[in-house]
Amino acid sequence: MEAFLADPTDLYLLRLAAGSIGGVLTNIDDTGANSMGFHADPANLFFDPASGDWGLALYGHAHTTASVLVEHDDFGWCCYFCDHYVNSASVKLVPRDSARRRMFIAPLGLDLVSEAGKLAQLLCILDATGTIIGLSVTWAPVGAQPLRRFRVRLVTRAGGRKFRLEGGAPMERGAYVVTPAAGKGLTTVNVTW
């Protein structure tokens, strides 16, 4: 995943990363216990009783899981670990990865990381040529999340853009701090460069 983040034009690297990110979750049985793997031979079909070094696999998953938007030469907009909805003016992403705290927008080289709060959606605004010209980030309602503020880090992983939040949100320890909407409302901010 780190190699893909450094070179988001190499979709083969993303395919490898997606296999390892998602594959480790298939080794969790119906009770939530981990195993070294699932024996998928039709004569077997059982989880291995040994757990071995699955903790390292879980660390790798937790460290790299993200929703990833790419623009494929043949297939157009593709989203890994998220649902996406495309029209002529926008691409809307709804994260489906296990954490729902990180989104990578490959055409921009932007790694958007929510350090506090789960992401509900990301809206990429497109111009007439299909180029991303703006982003709108929405967090899930605070609800049962034990937090008073959202924190979002905007990391340039490829290219030279410098990203920032519109509206003058304060920055603490390298991340923007956003006050959640009152009640059960959705909190949305815009990203610009």
Side-chain angles (χ1 to χ4, degrees):
M1 187 67 168
E2 291 296 323
F4 169 72
L5 294 175
D7 181 9
T9 61
D10 190 344
L11 297 184
Y12 179 73
L13 293 172
L14 177 59
R15 289 173 41 208
L16 289 175
S20 63
I21 290 169
V24 70
L25 297 179
T26 63
N27 297 339
I28 301 173
D29 70 15
D30 58 341
T31 67
N34 61 307
S35 71
M36 285 297 291
F38 181 73
H39 296 273
D41 184 300
N44 294 322
L45 299 178
F46 68 90
F47 287 95
D48 196 283
S51 64
D53 65 351
W54 191 82
L56 186 58
L58 178 61
Y59 168 77
H61 172 83
H63 180 70
T64 60
T65 191
S67 297
V68 179
L69 178 70
V70 298
E71 189 171 14
H72 192 279
D73 291 338
D74 297 324
F75 306 120
W77 294 106
C78 296
C79 194
Y80 288 70
F81 302 110
C82 50
D83 295 333
H84 71 295
Y85 307 92
V86 181
N87 63 43
S88 62
S90 66
V91 179
K92 177 177 142 183
L93 284 77
V94 178
R96 298 291 180 218
D97 64 286
S98 62
R100 295 186 172 104
R101 292 180 183 269
R102 182 177 178 192
M103 293 184 167
F104 181 68
I105 312 305
L108 299 177
L110 171 63
D111 196 6
L112 187 143
V113 181
S114 178
E115 295 180 345
K118 289 188 176 182
L119 297 169
Q121 75 174 35
L122 176 81
L123 187 67
C124 301
I125 294 102
L126 307 175
D127 67 9
T129 66
T131 302
I132 299 174
I133 58 170
L135 298 173
S136 180
V137 182
T138 303
W139 279 275
V142 172
Q145 298 182 64
L147 54 87
R148 296 181 321 184
R149 304 181 302 173
F150 295 122
R151 289 178 49 87
V152 64
R153 186 177 302 268
L154 306 173
V155 181
T156 302
R157 297 300 297 253
R161 292 182 178 92
K162 294 185 188 277
F163 299 96
R164 62 181 172 77
L165 289 189
E166 289 181 351
M171 190 173 238
E172 290 179 6
R173 299 183 314 274
Y176 289 96
V177 177
V178 178
T179 303
K184 295 184 178 184
L186 296 175
T187 304
T188 301
V189 295
N190 295 320
V191 177
T192 189
W193 52 92

